[in-house]
Amino acid sequence: MFACRYILKPACRALPSPPATQACEFRNRPPYQEGRLEKTSEVIGDWRIALVMGPPQGIFAEPPAIDGILPSMELAGLRLLTSDRMKPASGQPPDEQRGIQAGKYGGSRNPTRVERLLRDRELRKINRAFQQEEAGSGVDGGGQAKPERPPENSAREVGSEPDEEIIDGSLAPITTIGEENRRSRGRPMKQRLLVVANRLPVSAVRRGEDSWYLEVSAGGLVSALLGVKDVDARWIGWAGVNVPDEVGQRALTKALAEKRCIPVFLDEEIAHQYYNGYCNNILWPLFHYLGLPQEDRLATTRSFQSQFDAYKRANKMFADVVNMHYQEGDVVWCHDYHLMFLPKCLKEYNSKMKVGWFLHTPFPSSEIHRTLPSRSELLRSVLAADIVGFHTYDYARHFVSACTRILGLEGTPEGVEDQGMLTRVAAFPIGIDSDRFKRALELPAVKEHINELTHRFAGRKVMLGVDRLDMIKGIPQKILAFEKFLEENPSWRDKVVLLQIAVPTRTDVPEYQKLTSQVHEIVGRINGRFGTLTAVPIHHLFLPLSREWTVGSFATDGRPLELPLLPLLLSAAFAAVATAVRSFRHCCCCCPQLSLLSPLLSATSIATATADRSLDFHALCALYAVTDVALVTSLRDGMNLVSYEFVACQGSKKGVLILSEFAGAAQSLGAGALLVNPWNITEVAASIGYALNMSPDEREKRHRHNYAHVTTHTAQDWAETFVSELNDTVVEAQLRTRQVPPLLPTHVAVERYLQSKNRLLILGFNATLTESIESSGRRGGDQIKEMELKLHPDLKAPLTTLCNDVLTTVVVLSGSDRSVLDDNFGEYNMWLAAENGMFLRHTGGDWMTTMPEHLNMDWVDSVKHVFEYFTERTPRSHFEHRETSLVWNYKYADVEFGRLQARDMLQHLWTGPISNAAVDVVQGSRAVEVRSVGVTKGAAIDRILGEIVHSKSMVTPIDYVLCIGHFLGKDEDIYTFFEPELPSEPVSSSRTKSDTGKPSTTDKRSTGRSTVRNNSRGSHVKSQRAPVGSERRMSTNHNMPAGWRSPQETMSWREGSSVLDLKGDNYFSCAVGRKHSNARYLLNSSDDVAFFLEELAEAAHPAAYFYPRNGDVTK
């Protein structure tokens, strides 16, 4: 148990400080590792309470009596346990005082996930307020001066977004994260956060054999963690350079350690195939709906498989570095599509590791994702994480849909469930550090830029676009829409100007080169059409890729590049005119007027290069501040934080944001922005006109909505929320794991088996003894193979051995019909119970029925017609007509459509065919079964035992029972049938309309279970047999309404359990692949069942097995 001390300090300096500290327990919060520290404070009355959490340190000095402290501290999620002598002044016990506030978040009961997160949220608020108070004094709690913020003019990439450059950012805040915590008063470390991304937030330049120069940049993910004070962040990633020698690797590792970074060294070939190949050539286009490239079979470097192999190797190398630096209690946060394989690698190393994965790009619909050759493997790898995060709910919904449609898993409101293991899937919209932009607007340099721009564009409305020169950014569509607006609104041609800032990327790729030429041509044409020699409607500003000029980096001497903004824009305008003139070069020779411009061509060609300069942070903020309309027309974007930055800088201007509905930011800023379809040029042009003519009142209202969101949903809040929910998800998973049965202790089960005298083995069939079918990720799997139930090939030898053991009785109890069991088990010496035990035979005899003689089956025909109707209208569905039940299966149909059809079927059944029938409706995994009331495996097992006891003339009591199966919740009463400690209760005869997969209370306490104690009843009456065709009918009846049982039948219905002498240690019930079960134990698959039965058979009869040289077991 962790404890916290609260220290009372005067809220104002006029009050004396009381010498008061007190020990208290820290409950209802995610468990913190020993040595962690959290600090918070709250002002209550005249006192400020500072809380310090850490390992228990005993009972300290008794505090003075202060009313209201305990309830107020309960608001922060803390529960104080005081001794009798430490009661508040009111005299009320602490528990009673806490009762005042207990109802707010659930009181003394176990809190829900939302309640835990609300407590954590309030604690973070108090913590942040206390940190701001200390920051305002300029001194931390230990009397040390707090580190200064990084300068506002630190380098930053223009328009950088987390979906592409998530790790670009200033490392100054990283150095302070955790460092301050270690230095201050020797306090324990905070929770460590290992941030794993493709690239480190630094670029390394080698200056010698053991000398490196590091260049840092600001923005993106580092900015998100700028204000997160509760974690100690460390960064793991690729430095972007090939370092083959050990000397260079050691030197670079040492240099990066000073920046709290840990490098991953990738060789040149793996880096090329992993990053340029699989990440940028396959995943990135697919996730942005651009489709897969054509595979070139002649070029091995473009092979999907070779690139995917390199992708997996690179992820494994990342995992090795994480494992090397991981400490117990650390949180590992994996980022983006570059590391989709990483969560699986980490969990294989340590299943208890806290792993979160966040995608900064869109996640496509399942129909797009299913075209990926490695679709299933990537999805399963991501599902190994504890929590999977996306920017929007749409992306999260697409991911869950892909898991259900491709992997066949179950989607829930919380995430994706696979055999009882839940991976939480949620939306976490990222934000920006809005305070940084607001502070920048107050700087003299920014105000000077604003005055220059205001004077330069006096009398004209300014429209702004800031994008990377990429296919998904929609720059051509934006410019064409602006052209259409100028065509339709001549009066605006000399009153508006579009400033388009474009950052070229991947200039060596032909597609990007083509896009650059296309944009140049469109801009030149528009400026030539609507511009003059001194003014043009479009200022197109390009930024180079060279390191000396790249925005967000430094020059060779380490100084940031700062260029005057006004000359930059003037040169860009002049270059735009030159581009327009050059577009008419071919007309100069035949047109006298245009030939006059020929001397201008050579002079302006230099201006194009002059326009290629970087844009510093101050200039960008000034551009945002003077803009009247911001245009974001992304064709597909993960989030696009340019819109956030624009809103943050519009405190005085109240500009209008035109935002693409295909950008993730549209779900956050849609209330105040004008949402457009960027493919609809007419709609975008109309929105430009509406924005330019918008009234001041409407601009104010729209801006107020967006400004409130941007300033409250910051990047720091995003990071804190994700880490908090990851911690809570792990706690919830631990609580859920306690409800999962433990794995079957095979050695104990074998030992008890060998010590027993009369054994009973009850085995299910489907998904228990059947052969595993490998699915390649196709929708619904291989339907033909899966529908044809075949015995697992590894079970033939052990089943033969166990069935021939005279001390062992083997029963295969299944819901399948008799023909299926005959085909698979006819050669073994065992008992077969078909259709949930309603039909029984020994393999050496004939089938007999255990059904009650008066069982009403009149409902069958009407239900059959309904099933046939829905089978015809649901592709790939089918139904099975059994003699005691009907089953409609839509496992192989479309998931959503099958679920809708099942819902419609149930509604029709309740109101029609079964409205007055004594039937149960059992809803399994993508199946609907209608059966008569009382037809369950647990209800039939006593009658089955009675027949077996009679047939074998069994005298020795059964002292060992092994029951293994993959049973529906309705049939899991067979597990509890043999539990010795459960009391007897009557079974309700009322008709049950539905079964959600969990046994009801009635099912859990079936009548037969009470008889498993060693009782000496003398009701050993022979079963009456009557031929029914080729069957024999047992005159026993069980679990049916009293009116359906004749008086003479009541004498023999508990006959089978009378021979049970079962102790709790000799009973092993085991569910196969169902982690929410009434069974005592768990086996994961039919392969595990086969392995266990092999071990059991070998231990019982070792002479029947020998080991040849190849190591295979042979019978």
Side-chain angles (χ1 to χ4, degrees):
M1 180 67 67
F2 274 70
C4 68
R5 294 175 293 135
Y6 70 79
I7 304 172
L8 299 180
K9 299 180 180 180
C12 57
R13 301 189 183 277
L15 295 173
S17 298
T21 56
Q22 174 179 345
C24 61
E25 283 189 325
F26 187 55
R27 289 185 176 178
N28 293 332
R29 296 264 297 152
Y32 286 83
Q33 297 297 322
E34 186 172 357
R36 306 287 181 222
L37 174 73
E38 278 198 20
K39 179 181 64 177
T40 186
S41 71
E42 184 178 9
V43 176
I44 303 175
D46 295 329
W47 302 98
R48 186 181 72 182
I49 303 178
L51 290 135
V52 180
M53 277 78 79
Q57 301 180 15
I59 302 297
F60 300 97
E62 181 176 345
I66 301 177
D67 287 311
I69 289 183
L70 299 182
S72 299
M73 297 180 76
E74 176 71 17
L75 292 176
L78 300 176
R79 179 168 301 163
L80 302 180
L81 301 181
T82 61
S83 61
D84 292 338
R85 65 186 181 87
M86 292 184 177
K87 295 180 181 179
S90 60
Q92 290 181 305
D95 289 338
E96 293 184 12
Q97 282 212 354
R98 286 197 303 271
I100 302 174
Q101 299 287 343
K104 184 172 183 179
Y105 295 131
S108 60
R109 64 177 174 81
N110 290 330
T112 64
R113 180 179 63 85
V114 175
E115 290 169 349
R116 290 194 301 269
L117 293 175
L118 285 174
R119 284 172 170 161
D120 190 69
R121 178 173 177 267
E122 292 204 26
L123 186 60
R124 289 203 309 270
K125 283 184 177 180
I126 299 173
N127 193 13
R128 190 178 298 122
F130 183 48
Q131 291 167 353
Q132 291 175 354
E133 180 182 351
E134 287 189 340
S137 64
V139 179
D140 69 359
Q144 297 178 344
K146 297 186 71 64
E148 297 180 357
R149 290 181 176 272
E152 297 297 344
N153 62 348
S154 61
R156 175 198 180 277
E157 180 174 348
V158 173
S160 65
E161 301 162 24
D163 61 334
E164 298 302 327
E165 302 292 342
I166 62 171
I167 40 71
D168 286 357
S170 173
L171 283 183
I174 301 179
T175 306
T176 62
I177 295 177
E179 292 286 351
E180 174 191 353
N181 179 57
R182 292 199 304 273
R183 292 193 299 262
S184 300
R185 289 181 267 177
R187 295 176 297 189
M189 291 286 291
K190 299 178 181 179
Q191 185 178 33
R192 291 207 325 168
L193 174 65
L194 302 182
V195 181
V196 191
N198 172 59
R199 289 289 300 271
L200 289 173
V202 298
S203 295
V205 178
R206 193 164 190 172
R207 288 186 167 179
E209 184 179 5
D210 59 351
S211 176
W212 290 88
Y213 173 69
L214 303 181
E215 295 177 330
V216 298
S217 53
L221 185 57
V222 179
S223 296
L225 294 173
L226 180 64
V228 182
K229 305 299 184 184
D230 298 333
V231 297
D232 174 19
R234 299 171 187 268
W235 297 76
I236 299 176
W238 179 41
V241 292
N242 181 30
V243 190
D245 58 299
E246 294 184 3
V247 175
Q249 291 182 4
R250 286 196 299 267
L252 180 57
T253 301
K254 182 178 180 180
L256 289 172
E258 298 178 0
K259 305 295 184 183
R260 305 185 64 74
C261 294
I262 303 169
V264 177
F265 295 105
L266 304 176
D267 62 64
E268 190 172 359
E269 178 61 22
I270 290 182
H272 173 68
Q273 293 231 39
Y274 148 71
Y275 182 69
N276 296 324
Y278 199 77
C279 292
N280 288 342
N281 190 48
I282 295 179
L283 290 182
W284 189 90
L286 185 76
F287 283 11
H288 289 86
Y289 291 79
L290 299 179
L292 290 173
Q294 183 67 35
E295 183 174 10
D296 185 358
R297 296 182 179 272
L298 299 179
T300 57
T301 58
R302 299 201 60 174
S303 167
F304 287 166
Q305 188 58 44
S306 64
Q307 293 178 1
F308 184 57
D309 291 340
Y311 181 85
K312 291 193 291 185
R313 288 199 302 271
N315 276 249
K316 183 66 170 60
M317 296 170 72
F318 275 87
D320 292 340
V321 176
V322 174
N323 296 336
M324 188 184 307
H325 294 85
Y326 174 79
Q327 298 177 7
E328 186 178 358
D330 288 354
V331 171
V332 183
W333 192 358
C334 311
H335 287 271
D336 228 359
Y337 58 92
H338 311 88
L339 302 175
M340 295 181 71
F341 205 72
L342 183 58
K344 177 182 178 181
C345 298
L346 296 176
K347 286 293 187 176
E348 289 176 350
Y349 171 78
N350 185 348
S351 60
K352 296 182 180 180
M353 187 182 296
K354 299 178 183 179
V355 179
W357 183 79
F358 192 90
L359 182 66
H360 293 267
T361 68
F363 192 90
S365 69
S366 60
E367 292 303 310
I368 297 293
H369 184 77
R370 70 189 304 102
T371 63
L372 186 64
S374 53
R375 56 194 179 182
S376 300
E377 195 167 359
L378 286 181
L379 288 177
R380 291 197 179 276
S381 300
V382 171
L383 288 175
D386 297 294
I387 187 170
V388 177
F390 300 89
H391 282 308
T392 70
Y393 172 74
D394 283 346
Y395 307 155
R397 177 171 54 85
H398 290 163
F399 178 79
V400 174
S401 177
C403 292
T404 56
R405 293 173 180 271
I406 297 175
L407 300 181
L409 303 179
E410 201 67 33
T412 69
E414 293 295 320
V416 179
E417 187 172 357
D418 182 11
Q419 296 183 352
M421 299 298 293
L422 177 67
T423 299
R424 185 152 185 263
V425 181
F428 301 91
I430 197 173
I432 63 172
D433 185 5
S434 57
D435 290 337
R436 182 175 181 235
F437 287 87
K438 291 189 291 184
R439 290 193 304 268
L441 295 178
E442 303 299 325
L443 297 177
V446 176
K447 292 181 178 180
E448 181 180 352
H449 282 310
I450 293 176
N451 292 333
E452 291 177 355
L453 291 172
T454 303
H455 177 73
R456 171 67 180 85
F457 298 112
R460 305 178 75 181
K461 294 285 188 178
V462 178
M463 300 175 60
L464 177 64
V466 180
D467 307 279
R468 285 178 300 102
L469 193 54
D470 202 307
M471 279 85 70
I472 67 167
K473 295 300 182 179
I475 296 178
Q477 288 80 3
K478 177 192 306 184
I479 299 174
L480 291 175
F482 184 63
E483 179 185 25
K484 186 172 183 62
F485 168 75
L486 296 178
E487 288 177 352
E488 298 177 350
N489 300 272
S491 60
W492 276 101
R493 293 177 183 176
D494 57 348
K495 297 180 181 179
V496 64
V497 59
L498 172 62
L499 307 180
Q500 176 60 51
I501 299 175
V503 182
T505 58
R506 303 183 68 186
T507 54
D508 57 333
V509 179
E511 291 82 358
Y512 286 78
Q513 295 172 355
K514 182 179 179 181
L515 175 65
T516 303
S517 301
Q518 181 184 13
V519 172
H520 273 287
E521 293 174 1
I522 297 176
V523 171
R525 176 171 54 81
I526 296 175
N527 284 339
R529 180 180 178 187
F530 299 105
T532 65
L533 290 177
T534 58
V536 290
I538 301 178
H539 292 250
H540 196 196
L541 184 64
F542 285 87
L543 301 177
L545 287 176
S546 61
R547 185 169 302 278
E548 288 78 8
W549 300 102
T550 301
V551 172
S553 67
F554 292 84
T556 53
D557 60 353
R559 293 180 293 103
L561 295 171
E562 298 182 6
L563 298 177
L565 178 61
L566 187 57
L568 193 64
L569 291 174
L570 290 175
S571 61
F574 193 55
V577 176
T579 303
V581 173
R582 284 198 302 272
S583 65
F584 295 98
R585 179 188 295 273
H586 66 280
C587 301
C588 291
C589 59
C590 57
C591 180
Q593 290 79 7
L594 290 178
S595 63
L596 296 176
L597 297 176
S598 297
L600 185 63
L601 296 179
S602 59
T604 57
S605 60
I606 303 176
T608 304
T610 307
D612 291 342
R613 295 295 186 270
S614 62
L615 194 65
D616 64 90
F617 178 70
H618 292 167
L620 181 65
C621 292
L623 274 177
Y624 284 142
V626 301
T627 298
D628 296 282
V629 178
L631 270 175
V632 178
T633 57
S634 303
L635 305 181
R636 189 73 59 175
D637 228 342
M639 196 63 180
N640 196 299
L641 296 182
V642 169
S643 55
Y644 280 64
E645 296 170 356
F646 166 74
V647 172
C649 294
Q650 286 286 311
S652 58
K653 190 94 173 185
K654 309 294 189 298
V656 181
L657 174 63
I658 298 178
L659 181 59
S660 167
E661 63 186 54
F662 300 116
Q667 295 197 13
S668 303
L669 303 181
L674 298 179
L675 298 183
V676 296
N677 178 3
W679 295 99
N680 190 340
I681 303 301
T682 303
E683 179 186 357
V684 178
S687 297
I688 292 175
Y690 185 81
L692 292 174
N693 293 288
M694 187 178 293
S695 64
D697 289 342
E698 185 177 354
R699 290 163 66 110
E700 168 72 25
K701 292 178 181 178
R702 289 181 177 272
H703 173 74
R704 190 187 312 122
H705 278 283
N706 288 344
Y707 191 78
H709 180 87
V710 169
T711 55
T712 55
H713 296 75
T714 62
Q716 293 81 4
D717 290 328
W718 166 77
E720 287 179 348
T721 301
F722 187 90
V723 174
S724 173
E725 297 220 10
L726 172 57
N727 278 318
D728 188 80
T729 299
V730 173
V731 173
E732 191 173 3
Q734 293 172 350
L735 296 176
R736 193 184 304 110
T737 302
R738 296 173 187 171
Q739 303 172 358
V740 176
L743 292 176
L744 176 67
T746 55
H747 62 286
V748 177
V750 171
E751 181 182 356
R752 299 287 182 181
Y753 177 88
L754 298 177
Q755 296 173 356
S756 58
K757 303 299 182 182
N758 191 5
R759 310 131 180 174
L760 174 65
L761 308 186
I762 303 175
L763 308 175
F765 179 45
N766 192 7
T768 303
L769 303 179
T770 53
E771 182 178 5
S772 299
I773 304 296
E774 294 293 334
S775 176
S776 60
R778 299 183 183 92
R779 176 179 295 170
D782 194 328
Q783 182 173 354
I784 300 301
K785 289 185 178 180
E786 291 185 14
M787 290 179 60
E788 186 179 3
L789 300 179
K790 291 293 185 181
L791 179 65
H792 198 293
D794 295 341
L795 283 172
K796 293 182 179 181
L799 276 182
T800 301
T801 301
L802 294 173
C803 291
N804 292 334
D805 188 343
V806 295
L807 300 181
T808 303
T809 301
V810 180
V811 180
V812 173
L813 179 57
S814 172
S816 302
D817 57 35
R818 291 171 286 175
S819 62
V820 174
L821 299 187
D822 285 336
D823 293 340
N824 285 278
F825 301 100
E827 60 185 278
Y828 300 97
N829 180 25
M830 62 169 59
W831 289 83
L832 304 178
E835 299 199 24
N836 299 306
M838 294 298 102
F839 296 96
L840 177 69
R841 85 172 179 104
H842 188 271
T843 50
D846 298 327
W847 284 100
M848 67 187 76
T849 179
T850 63
M851 289 188 299
E853 293 183 354
H854 305 291
L855 188 65
N856 190 342
M857 302 292 290
D858 295 340
W859 52 269
V860 172
D861 290 338
S862 57
V863 173
K864 177 183 175 182
H865 293 318
V866 175
F867 279 17
E868 289 176 343
Y869 174 85
F870 280 93
T871 301
E872 293 172 357
R873 286 155 180 78
T874 309
R876 299 190 67 180
S877 67
H878 66 280
F879 84 96
E880 302 176 44
H881 184 185
R882 303 170 184 170
E883 297 191 42
T884 58
S885 63
L886 293 174
V887 181
W888 182 69
N889 191 305
Y890 58 94
K891 174 182 178 181
Y892 308 100
D894 180 87
V895 177
E896 297 298 330
F897 183 62
R899 188 177 293 118
L900 292 174
Q901 291 289 81
R903 185 182 63 183
D904 292 344
M905 172 189 287
L906 291 174
Q907 291 177 349
H908 180 74
L909 289 175
W910 296 138
T911 59
I914 64 172
S915 57
N916 295 314
V919 297
D920 282 331
V921 176
V922 183
Q923 293 180 252
S925 176
R926 302 179 189 177
V928 176
E929 180 178 0
V930 179
R931 60 172 75 161
S932 295
V933 168
V935 178
T936 67
K937 294 179 174 64
I941 191 62
D942 197 24
R943 301 194 296 271
I944 294 173
L945 284 178
E947 178 61 23
I948 293 175
V949 169
H950 170 76
S951 176
K952 299 182 67 173
S953 300
M954 190 177 295
V955 178
T956 305
I958 297 175
D959 57 353
Y960 179 93
V961 174
L962 172 67
C963 184
I964 303 178
H966 179 85
F967 301 135
L968 296 175
K970 184 72 174 178
D971 294 318
E972 286 203 343
D973 52 358
I974 190 173
Y975 294 140
T976 52
F977 177 87
F978 294 99
E979 291 291 351
E981 67 275 10
L982 292 179
S984 173
E985 288 187 10
V987 178
S988 172
S989 61
S990 61
R991 178 175 62 87
T992 305
K993 284 195 172 185
S994 65
D995 191 318
T996 60
K998 295 182 179 179
S1000 62
T1001 304
T1002 302
D1003 295 329
K1004 289 184 178 181
R1005 302 182 180 273
S1006 62
T1007 309
R1009 243 170 297 146
S1010 62
T1011 65
V1012 300
R1013 292 187 178 90
N1014 184 18
N1015 46 48
S1016 58
R1017 287 189 300 270
S1019 57
H1020 191 83
V1021 182
K1022 292 185 178 181
S1023 303
Q1024 302 175 6
R1025 300 182 181 85
V1028 182
S1030 62
E1031 308 152 1
R1032 294 176 295 157
R1033 176 175 296 276
M1034 297 172 56
S1035 60
T1036 59
N1037 197 339
H1038 176 67
N1039 201 25
M1040 302 303 298
W1044 288 14
R1045 186 187 303 124
S1046 59
Q1048 62 270 24
E1049 289 177 345
T1050 61
M1051 301 178 60
S1052 61
W1053 72 305
R1054 292 184 179 178
E1055 176 183 3
S1057 57
S1058 63
V1059 297
L1060 289 174
D1061 185 14
L1062 190 61
K1063 298 179 181 179
D1065 293 341
N1066 278 10
Y1067 173 51
F1068 297 87
S1069 58
C1070 184
V1072 180
R1074 294 178 63 92
K1075 297 188 177 181
H1076 297 290
S1077 172
N1078 290 328
R1080 291 185 174 188
Y1081 303 106
L1082 172 70
L1083 286 174
N1084 290 320
S1085 66
S1086 59
D1087 293 333
D1088 294 339
V1089 175
F1091 183 81
F1092 167 65
L1093 293 182
E1094 284 180 350
E1095 185 178 357
L1096 192 66
E1098 181 185 358
H1101 300 277
Y1105 289 80
F1106 68 90
Y1107 294 86
R1109 293 182 179 180
N1110 60 6
D1112 296 333
V1113 179
T1114 304
K1115 177 82 166 49

